[in-house]
Structure formats: C-alpha cells, structure tokens
Amino acid sequence: MEEKTLSLTQRMGEDLANLLGVSVNMVQRTELASLLKFIMDEAARILDAERCTLYLVDEGTKELRSFIAQRAEVKEIRLPLGKGIAGHVAKTVEVVNLEDAYQSPLFDPKTDKETGYKTRTVLCIPMKDKNNRVIGVLQALNKKKGTFNTHDEWLFKSYATCASNSISAITGGEKAAPDAKSRENLERLSLTVENIPDGVIMLLREEDCVVVNPAARWMLGLEINKIVDKKGVEECLKEIGLGNVLKWLGGEVEKLSSQEITLQGPKERVLKADFAGINGDAGLKKGLVIVLRDITKEKEMDRIKSEFIAIASHEFLSPLTSMKSAVALFLQGMLGPTTDTQKRFLNIMKDSVEYLSYLATTLLDISLIESKKMRLKEEKVDLSEIVRSSIESLRYQAEKKGISLLSKDGNIPPVLADPHRVRQAVLAILDNALKFSPQGGEVVVSIESTGKEIEVGIKDNGIGIPLKEQEKIFEKFYQVESSITREHYGLGLGLSICKDIIEAQGGRIWVESKVGEGSRFAFTLPLRT
Ligand code: ADP
C-alpha cells in the first residue's frame, strides 16, 4: 500500500476527526461489555497497535478488572491493585511509554510466557472521570510500525477522556440521552486542544455545540473567554471564505481540500486551513474538524525568496545575452579567422552560456509563478502556427537523433492566449519527447478542436513513464530516475512550469504513457471569443 504523507496539521486534524467520530459512536453503546470491546478495538485501530487492554478500578475489592477482547467476547480477569504496568499507572496516574517492555522493571515477562504473546512496546495511560478520579487504565501493545511517540500519547490521552466519560455514563447509571453524552464528549475533547498552538474548530452536524480552541479564537478575532455558538461560528466561517465547509457538511460539496485564507485587518494575516471530515452512514456527513495554522511569516519569507531569485536571474540574463551574441559573432567568423581549436572551445562556451541562460530563465519563470507575478497576454493565437514554428526550431536537434518530427492538424480556429507562453510549453514538451525517444524514433504533434476547446497532443515512442510517476512529473523538481534523466541537464521544472502556464489560461494538461512504448502529453486551451 502506498504510504500517505500528511503534514502535521493534517494529521492532527484527521486524528481529531477520528476521535470525534469514534466518540459519537461510543455514546450509542448502552451495554458495558459492548462498550468496552468497542473502546479496545477502536483504540488499537487509532494507535495502529496490535491490541489494547482495558482495566477498571474496583474500589470495593481493591482490584483491577482486566478486560481482554477475544473476537466477539470480552474476557475478564481480576488483578490485585498496584501490580504490573496497569497497576502502576492506576496508582501513580502517570503515563508509561515503553520502547522495549523487557527492559522495564514494571513489566512481568510471566504474562507473555502464559499467553504465548511477545510484548515489545507498551503505551499505558490512566482514565480519569469528570472529578479527576482514576476509574481505570488503557493499555496499547505493540505499535505495528516503530514505537509509540509523543503524538500517540496525546492521541491516547484524548481518546481516554471520551472513553472514561462513556464508561462512567454506564457504570454510574447516568441516563443521559446520546446527544447530551456526545456533547459532553465534545466538551472533554475541547480540553485536549486547549493548549495547542494550532487553531482547532470541531463541528458536529446534528449538535448545537461547537469547539473553537483559544488559538483559533485568536486567529479569527473572536473573544477568548466568550461562549461561541454554532451559528456565530458558521457566520464567521462564511465571512472568512470557508463557507464551503458548511456546504460539505450539508452534502452539497463532495470534497474539501486544504485552503489558504487571507484575513484583512490592522495587519494582514495568512492562514492555512486543513480539514478532516467525519463520515456517517449512507454517505451522510457527521461532523468536521478544521485545523488552522498561521503561515503569515512563511508566506513573507517565500515572497522575499521569490523576489530575490527573480531579480538575480533577471540580472544574469542580460550579460548572458551579450556573451551569446559575442560567441556567435566569433563562430560566424565576423571577428576574424578562428582556428579549429579555437572553434572547439568557442562551441564549449556556446553550450555553457546556453545552459546558464536556460537555468536563469527557468528560475525566473518559477519565481514569477510563485509570486503570482507572471503576466499572461490575451491575444488571438493560431496554435498550428505555434506548433509549426516550434517544430522548425527543434528540427536540427531531431535530425541529429534521426527522429522524424511530424504534425497533423486540421482547420483550427484561433484561441485567446499568450503566444509566447504557449510556445514555451510546446517547446518544453517537444524537447522532452526528443530527449526521451530512441535514435530513429518518431514524434507526432496533433491539434484537434472539440468544439469547446483545442487539444494539442505530443506523442513519442520513447521510454515511457510508470503509472505511479505520471502525476508526480508535473510537480516541481520531480524527475523519474533513469539513465537518460541523468545524462541530460534539467531541473525537473519544465513540466511544472507548463502546468502553471496552461492552467493559468483555463486549460488542462496530462500525460498518457506506457513504459517501453512511449508517452502522449496533451494540453487543452478553451475556445473563447
Ligand atoms: P526536466 O527539465 O528535468 O526534464 P521536466 O519537468 O520537463 O523536467 O520533466 C520531468 C520528468 O518527467 C523528466 O525528468 C522525465 O523523467 C519525465 N518525462 C518528461 N517527458 C517525458 C517523456 N516524453 N518521456 C519519458 N519521460 C518523460
């Protein structure tokens, strides 16, 4: 399975959504054994552990009731209070996190001997009720990958607050309705996000209550100590441009992606919002967690970096252009006769100057794109003409490799676009097609109109691109590892620039490819009048 890489904020959001979702399900259980089994199964799942054991303190007999989930059943064993890891945790009310159980004096290897189980890592935490009294202990065994980290501790503690709440509701004989219990769980979860620097908002679709932690209140300019109601939070979300969230909860929008929002005020601030949804049955949405991170400083640093690169690369380009013309004059013999050795070195200079110009232009483009300063013209553009002239400028390069370069087009209406930038995209894709095609290969360019848009396709019979790399090659600095990539110069920026150029003009770009058979890059531009 492909590993999902999530940013820290995304991960926290997903964990909180997971917790919230589980806590909503937890309160539906009205029978103790089924609740305990649910708590243990879900704890193991959330922590990615092999198993989880739950202990409840029996004050009367001074014992720990240990529950083990075995398939559909829950087995109970009684242990004297104060013994073993769980006993220690119940007594000291401290978290125990063991990277290697056998190295700890708290662990009794006898248990493993009796059960035939091999304990490696242990995370054990106390469960406290509303009055801060220890009612039991949760113990997760053997993290499937690596060891339990501080994030797992935070997650497990938060989980334990909901678990103990739901257990107390049954053992204490509280007859509260599930929605009152789930509100209580939400309130308890709010305590776990109280002190974190990221803003956290938790909403349940069917509940009136909402959690907005102090960091989120500060970011959104809400009063820290005032109680906020769900309506107020919804209004605020709409105002700052996160109205989509409510549409998602209502089932009107299918997917939520991370979003950057700019808040005006005495000082402009940029926030990054990540979302994690809680799905219910039959596609219904149950709730949502929004995690907000203030990225104003990072954005400012990015702006300064892009500006510096733009200025530096622009300054490089003018002397390079003078050098290019001077070398050309020498090579053409306009400045007097040159010997063969001199010509050889002049050609090396020509190649190096061209490479430097390529680097400077690419960096300039990337910095213009990043700082959103790339200005695109809107002119009537004849794509056939652009394709024809691009093919002509690469004809020599193709002939050197014996590659035939053909174009097929019909009667194509003009599009409104920036001719210079479209030509740049065609050249970059064509250049790659030649680079990654074998000696004697074939590259065919087609232009077709679908009525709504024009599609340009550039097909080669080169090395092809593995399926799992096909989306990534449009990312910045991404190159597929191969001997050809290593042989040629390139920064892995060409296709990412193409994507930006095409998408900024309302088009799409993609690739269809099979390893060993070749690739077809295609882009569209909308037909606008
Ligand atoms: P670069 O300038 O380094 O070539 P690009 O962004 O243009 O970067 O391309 C990224 C990567 O995509 C290349 O390094 C190569 O691995 C792959 N690629 C691009 N075009 C083709 C093609 N026509 N055939 C096979 N692989 C390709």
Side-chain angles (χ1 to χ4, degrees), residues 358 362 428-437 458-466 469-470 472-482 484-486 488-498 511 513 518-521:
Y358 156 81
T362 308
I429 301 173
L430 267 179
D431 186 55
N432 277 343
L434 296 178
K435 224 167 35 178
F436 295 100
S437 287
I458 297 167
K459 190 170 182 305
D460 65 55
N461 59 352
I463 60 169
I465 304 159
E469 314 259 17
Q470 287 177 16
K472 295 190 192 144
I473 57 170
F474 293 98
E475 289 170 12
K476 264 186 287 181
F477 299 111
Y478 196 86
Q479 294 180 312
V480 181
E481 178 58 32
S482 80
I484 300 187
T485 326
R486 264 175 284 152
H488 291 84
Y489 62 72
L491 294 171
L493 288 172
L495 289 175
S496 115
I497 294 175
C498 288
V511 64
S513 181
S519 312
R520 180 179 183 270
F521 282 82

Side-chain angles (χ1 to χ4, degrees), residues 252-270:
E252 292 166 58
V253 172
E254 211 19 66
K255 215 176 148 242
L256 285 176
S257 333
S258 303
Q259 204 177 317
E260 274 182 27
I261 42 180
T262 307
L263 300 183
Q264 306 298 343
K267 225 176 124 217
E268 190 182 276
R269 268 178 309 123
V270 188

Side-chain angles (χ1 to χ4, degrees), residues 179-388:
D179 61 336
K181 282 193 264 171
S182 82
R183 195 170 321 131
E184 211 169 284
N185 268 346
L186 192 64
E187 273 160 23
R188 295 202 83 186
L189 269 184
S190 78
L191 297 178
T192 71
V193 294
E194 182 104 350
N195 293 321
I196 56 175
D198 288 326
V200 176
I201 301 176
M202 297 197 261
L203 288 163
L204 283 175
R205 198 169 69 98
E206 309 238 315
E207 297 290 340
D208 272 343
C209 54
V210 52
V211 169
V212 186
N213 78 339
R217 285 168 190 245
W218 182 80
M219 287 177 195
L220 302 178
L222 298 168
E223 279 183 51
I224 301 286
N225 295 320
K226 223 169 117 189
I227 293 174
V228 278
D229 63 350
K230 196 175 176 190
K231 255 215 156 71
V233 173
E234 286 177 348
E235 282 308 313
C236 177
L237 290 174
K238 273 192 221 153
E239 233 168 72
I240 61 170
L242 291 181
N244 246 10
V245 164
L246 307 174
K247 288 197 178 145
W248 181 88
L249 272 177
E252 292 166 58
V253 172
E254 211 19 66
K255 215 176 148 242
L256 285 176
S257 333
S258 303
Q259 204 177 317
E260 274 182 27
I261 42 180
T262 307
L263 300 183
Q264 306 298 343
K267 225 176 124 217
E268 190 182 276
R269 268 178 309 123
V270 188
L271 302 182
K272 170 137 191 283
D274 279 302
F275 311 101
I278 307 156
N279 289 310
D281 301 331
L284 273 183
K285 316 293 180 200
K286 270 195 174 158
L288 180 85
V289 175
I290 307 171
V291 182
L292 299 169
R293 201 159 56 87
D294 194 327
I295 54 165
T296 317
K297 273 209 185 106
E298 290 162 40
K299 284 298 243 191
E300 179 60 8
M301 289 308 290
D302 268 359
R303 193 190 58 76
I304 294 172
K305 185 196 74 190
S306 295
E307 219 158 76
F308 170 74
I309 296 176
I311 294 170
S313 42
H314 188 260
E315 288 304 304
F316 275 129
L317 279 172
S318 1
L320 281 171
T321 314
S322 316
M323 281 163 79
K324 222 193 264 180
S325 337
V327 172
L329 287 177
F330 265 122
L331 279 171
Q332 285 157 13
M334 312 281 267
L335 303 174
T338 41
T339 65
D340 283 350
T341 317
Q342 283 169 334
K343 272 202 187 105
R344 197 157 57 84
F345 282 101
L346 281 168
N347 270 316
I348 295 176
M349 263 174 86
K350 182 174 156 258
D351 287 348
S352 305
V353 168
E354 258 165 26
Y355 180 47
L356 278 176
S357 310
Y358 156 81
L359 289 181
T361 323
T362 308
L363 289 177
L364 180 59
D365 283 348
I366 279 290
S367 54
L368 289 178
I369 288 168
E370 285 192 344
S371 56
K372 301 203 167 48
K373 283 198 180 134
M374 182 178 268
R375 282 191 198 95
L376 293 164
K377 287 190 204 135
E378 265 202 356
E379 286 173 19
K380 270 194 177 169
V381 173
D382 178 357
L383 281 174
S384 310
E385 174 51 29
I386 287 189
V387 166
R388 198 194 52 71

